[in-house]
Amino acid sequence: MLKNKLKKYTLILASGSPRRQQFFKDLDLDFEIRLKEIEEIYPPELKAAEITNYLAALKANAFEGELKQNEILVTSDTIVWHNNTALGKPKNEQDAFQILKSLSNATHEVITSVCFKTNEKVVVLHEVTKVTFNELSDESIRYYLENYKPYDKAGAYGIQEWIGFIAVSKIEGSYANVMGMPTDKVYEYLTNLV
């Protein structure tokens, strides 16, 4: 399996996200974590996957000149794309409330881009998943925010949490992608890379 194929390589995940780290563990991959502080600012004209592609590559570029011959760096970025607007992590509780209110009774896209960087090349791929929410009452939004505090999540929600069970009526595409990584695409790319 992939773990054996990667024995000659060091796989580096540049993400502080506990969910992304768990995905790598669940994929049965040996990896190390290296983090760099990146200001996640992108040109305002970018839309949808252009934004996440740009930010995933930006995170990888921070390691320019630092990778050894056998190292594979993986960075990623996720946004919720709704009403032609990128919804990142909420600034505060009020912002989170407004975001969830806008997602109520509507379909949005969750877009994750993953960047693979080696000494030889940089490749960025992305996945789009459509998620439809039931109507959310103000009461249920407040309950979710108070009890789950989803302020580290794009779109102010985690699909694997309470809100995912009560709000999501339909999902088209990769479930793992909504949690922050299109695991099937990542596994396939790494398999082909080595």
PDB file of all heavy atoms in Angstrom, residues 20-33:
ATOM      1  N   ARG A  20      -7.335  17.657   9.404  1.00  0.00           N
ATOM      2  CA  ARG A  20      -6.423  17.236   8.333  1.00  0.00           C
ATOM      3  C   ARG A  20      -5.374  16.264   8.863  1.00  0.00           C
ATOM      4  O   ARG A  20      -5.014  15.297   8.206  1.00  0.00           O
ATOM      5  CB  ARG A  20      -5.764  18.455   7.684  1.00  0.00           C
ATOM      6  CG  ARG A  20      -6.768  19.278   6.891  1.00  0.00           C
ATOM      7  CD  ARG A  20      -6.115  20.377   6.068  1.00  0.00           C
ATOM      8  NE  ARG A  20      -7.140  21.116   5.333  1.00  0.00           N
ATOM      9  CZ  ARG A  20      -7.307  22.431   5.394  1.00  0.00           C
ATOM     10  NH1 ARG A  20      -6.516  23.173   6.145  1.00  0.00           N
ATOM     11  NH2 ARG A  20      -8.265  23.015   4.707  1.00  0.00           N
ATOM     12  N   GLN A  21      -4.892  16.519  10.082  1.00  0.00           N
ATOM     13  CA  GLN A  21      -3.912  15.610  10.686  1.00  0.00           C
ATOM     14  C   GLN A  21      -4.538  14.229  10.904  1.00  0.00           C
ATOM     15  O   GLN A  21      -3.909  13.206  10.641  1.00  0.00           O
ATOM     16  CB  GLN A  21      -3.399  16.201  12.001  1.00  0.00           C
ATOM     17  CG  GLN A  21      -2.568  17.455  11.796  1.00  0.00           C
ATOM     18  CD  GLN A  21      -2.225  18.183  13.087  1.00  0.00           C
ATOM     19  OE1 GLN A  21      -2.353  17.632  14.175  1.00  0.00           O
ATOM     20  NE2 GLN A  21      -1.785  19.427  12.975  1.00  0.00           N
ATOM     21  N   GLN A  22      -5.791  14.219  11.334  1.00  0.00           N
ATOM     22  CA  GLN A  22      -6.493  12.952  11.554  1.00  0.00           C
ATOM     23  C   GLN A  22      -6.691  12.198  10.243  1.00  0.00           C
ATOM     24  O   GLN A  22      -6.583  10.974  10.192  1.00  0.00           O
ATOM     25  CB  GLN A  22      -7.842  13.197  12.245  1.00  0.00           C
ATOM     26  CG  GLN A  22      -8.520  11.911  12.720  1.00  0.00           C
ATOM     27  CD  GLN A  22      -7.682  11.128  13.730  1.00  0.00           C
ATOM     28  OE1 GLN A  22      -7.182  11.687  14.695  1.00  0.00           O
ATOM     29  NE2 GLN A  22      -7.507   9.827  13.501  1.00  0.00           N
ATOM     30  N   PHE A  23      -6.983  12.929   9.166  1.00  0.00           N
ATOM     31  CA  PHE A  23      -7.135  12.284   7.853  1.00  0.00           C
ATOM     32  C   PHE A  23      -5.861  11.548   7.455  1.00  0.00           C
ATOM     33  O   PHE A  23      -5.909  10.424   6.965  1.00  0.00           O
ATOM     34  CB  PHE A  23      -7.470  13.313   6.765  1.00  0.00           C
ATOM     35  CG  PHE A  23      -8.931  13.646   6.674  1.00  0.00           C
ATOM     36  CD1 PHE A  23      -9.347  14.946   6.463  1.00  0.00           C
ATOM     37  CD2 PHE A  23      -9.914  12.663   6.760  1.00  0.00           C
ATOM     38  CE1 PHE A  23     -10.694  15.266   6.368  1.00  0.00           C
ATOM     39  CE2 PHE A  23     -11.259  12.970   6.662  1.00  0.00           C
ATOM     40  CZ  PHE A  23     -11.655  14.283   6.467  1.00  0.00           C
ATOM     41  N   PHE A  24      -4.707  12.190   7.667  1.00  0.00           N
ATOM     42  CA  PHE A  24      -3.448  11.542   7.306  1.00  0.00           C
ATOM     43  C   PHE A  24      -3.227  10.283   8.140  1.00  0.00           C
ATOM     44  O   PHE A  24      -2.755   9.273   7.630  1.00  0.00           O
ATOM     45  CB  PHE A  24      -2.274  12.523   7.447  1.00  0.00           C
ATOM     46  CG  PHE A  24      -1.948  13.260   6.175  1.00  0.00           C
ATOM     47  CD1 PHE A  24      -2.962  13.796   5.395  1.00  0.00           C
ATOM     48  CD2 PHE A  24      -0.647  13.410   5.737  1.00  0.00           C
ATOM     49  CE1 PHE A  24      -2.682  14.465   4.207  1.00  0.00           C
ATOM     50  CE2 PHE A  24      -0.347  14.068   4.556  1.00  0.00           C
ATOM     51  CZ  PHE A  24      -1.372  14.602   3.783  1.00  0.00           C
ATOM     52  N   LYS A  25      -3.603  10.362   9.434  1.00  0.00           N
ATOM     53  CA  LYS A  25      -3.503   9.167  10.278  1.00  0.00           C
ATOM     54  C   LYS A  25      -4.459   8.087   9.780  1.00  0.00           C
ATOM     55  O   LYS A  25      -4.100   6.912   9.695  1.00  0.00           O
ATOM     56  CB  LYS A  25      -3.839   9.520  11.736  1.00  0.00           C
ATOM     57  CG  LYS A  25      -2.778  10.337  12.432  1.00  0.00           C
ATOM     58  CD  LYS A  25      -3.214  10.739  13.845  1.00  0.00           C
ATOM     59  CE  LYS A  25      -2.271  11.788  14.403  1.00  0.00           C
ATOM     60  NZ  LYS A  25      -2.932  12.685  15.350  1.00  0.00           N
ATOM     61  N   ASP A  26      -5.691   8.489   9.455  1.00  0.00           N
ATOM     62  CA  ASP A  26      -6.701   7.529   8.996  1.00  0.00           C
ATOM     63  C   ASP A  26      -6.344   6.915   7.636  1.00  0.00           C
ATOM     64  O   ASP A  26      -6.777   5.805   7.321  1.00  0.00           O
ATOM     65  CB  ASP A  26      -8.080   8.190   8.923  1.00  0.00           C
ATOM     66  CG  ASP A  26      -8.627   8.545  10.309  1.00  0.00           C
ATOM     67  OD1 ASP A  26      -8.101   8.008  11.313  1.00  0.00           O
ATOM     68  OD2 ASP A  26      -9.554   9.371  10.388  1.00  0.00           O
ATOM     69  N   LEU A  27      -5.568   7.648   6.835  1.00  0.00           N
ATOM     70  CA  LEU A  27      -5.091   7.107   5.555  1.00  0.00           C
ATOM     71  C   LEU A  27      -3.890   6.185   5.758  1.00  0.00           C
ATOM     72  O   LEU A  27      -3.342   5.651   4.807  1.00  0.00           O
ATOM     73  CB  LEU A  27      -4.706   8.253   4.596  1.00  0.00           C
ATOM     74  CG  LEU A  27      -5.866   9.068   4.017  1.00  0.00           C
ATOM     75  CD1 LEU A  27      -5.345  10.294   3.285  1.00  0.00           C
ATOM     76  CD2 LEU A  27      -6.718   8.217   3.077  1.00  0.00           C
ATOM     77  N   ASP A  28      -3.488   6.021   7.029  1.00  0.00           N
ATOM     78  CA  ASP A  28      -2.378   5.146   7.406  1.00  0.00           C
ATOM     79  C   ASP A  28      -1.058   5.621   6.789  1.00  0.00           C
ATOM     80  O   ASP A  28      -0.277   4.832   6.263  1.00  0.00           O
ATOM     81  CB  ASP A  28      -2.686   3.687   6.990  1.00  0.00           C
ATOM     82  CG  ASP A  28      -1.810   2.696   7.748  1.00  0.00           C
ATOM     83  OD1 ASP A  28      -1.330   3.055   8.843  1.00  0.00           O
ATOM     84  OD2 ASP A  28      -1.597   1.581   7.239  1.00  0.00           O
ATOM     85  N   LEU A  29      -0.831   6.927   6.874  1.00  0.00           N
ATOM     86  CA  LEU A  29       0.396   7.503   6.328  1.00  0.00           C
ATOM     87  C   LEU A  29       1.298   7.974   7.464  1.00  0.00           C
ATOM     88  O   LEU A  29       0.819   8.504   8.466  1.00  0.00           O
ATOM     89  CB  LEU A  29       0.055   8.705   5.433  1.00  0.00           C
ATOM     90  CG  LEU A  29      -0.824   8.416   4.213  1.00  0.00           C
ATOM     91  CD1 LEU A  29      -1.189   9.714   3.511  1.00  0.00           C
ATOM     92  CD2 LEU A  29      -0.124   7.462   3.249  1.00  0.00           C
ATOM     93  N   ASP A  30       2.589   7.765   7.302  1.00  0.00           N
ATOM     94  CA  ASP A  30       3.561   8.333   8.233  1.00  0.00           C
ATOM     95  C   ASP A  30       3.872   9.746   7.761  1.00  0.00           C
ATOM     96  O   ASP A  30       4.188   9.946   6.584  1.00  0.00           O
ATOM     97  CB  ASP A  30       4.853   7.496   8.256  1.00  0.00           C
ATOM     98  CG  ASP A  30       4.606   6.117   8.865  1.00  0.00           C
ATOM     99  OD1 ASP A  30       3.816   6.036   9.830  1.00  0.00           O
ATOM    100  OD2 ASP A  30       5.191   5.134   8.368  1.00  0.00           O
ATOM    101  N   PHE A  31       3.793  10.713   8.648  1.00  0.00           N
ATOM    102  CA  PHE A  31       4.023  12.097   8.227  1.00  0.00           C
ATOM    103  C   PHE A  31       4.520  12.907   9.413  1.00  0.00           C
ATOM    104  O   PHE A  31       4.400  12.503  10.561  1.00  0.00           O
ATOM    105  CB  PHE A  31       2.729  12.720   7.672  1.00  0.00           C
ATOM    106  CG  PHE A  31       1.632  12.866   8.699  1.00  0.00           C
ATOM    107  CD1 PHE A  31       1.385  14.089   9.315  1.00  0.00           C
ATOM    108  CD2 PHE A  31       0.837  11.774   9.040  1.00  0.00           C
ATOM    109  CE1 PHE A  31       0.382  14.217  10.268  1.00  0.00           C
ATOM    110  CE2 PHE A  31      -0.178  11.905   9.983  1.00  0.00           C
ATOM    111  CZ  PHE A  31      -0.403  13.129  10.606  1.00  0.00           C
ATOM    112  N   GLU A  32       5.099  14.049   9.089  1.00  0.00           N
ATOM    113  CA  GLU A  32       5.449  14.991  10.142  1.00  0.00           C
ATOM    114  C   GLU A  32       4.748  16.311   9.867  1.00  0.00           C
ATOM    115  O   GLU A  32       4.333  16.577   8.737  1.00  0.00           O
ATOM    116  CB  GLU A  32       6.970  15.169  10.253  1.00  0.00           C
ATOM    117  CG  GLU A  32       7.663  15.652   9.014  1.00  0.00           C
ATOM    118  CD  GLU A  32       9.172  15.768   9.233  1.00  0.00           C
ATOM    119  OE1 GLU A  32       9.855  14.736   9.385  1.00  0.00           O
ATOM    120  OE2 GLU A  32       9.657  16.917   9.240  1.00  0.00           O
ATOM    121  N   ILE A  33       4.603  17.101  10.926  1.00  0.00           N
ATOM    122  CA  ILE A  33       3.906  18.381  10.786  1.00  0.00           C
ATOM    123  C   ILE A  33       4.922  19.508  10.862  1.00  0.00           C
ATOM    124  O   ILE A  33       5.770  19.526  11.762  1.00  0.00           O
ATOM    125  CB  ILE A  33       2.844  18.533  11.896  1.00  0.00           C
ATOM    126  CG1 ILE A  33       1.758  17.478  11.712  1.00  0.00           C
ATOM    127  CG2 ILE A  33       2.231  19.930  11.887  1.00  0.00           C
ATOM    128  CD1 ILE A  33       0.906  17.258  12.928  1.00  0.00           C
TER     129      ILE A  33
END
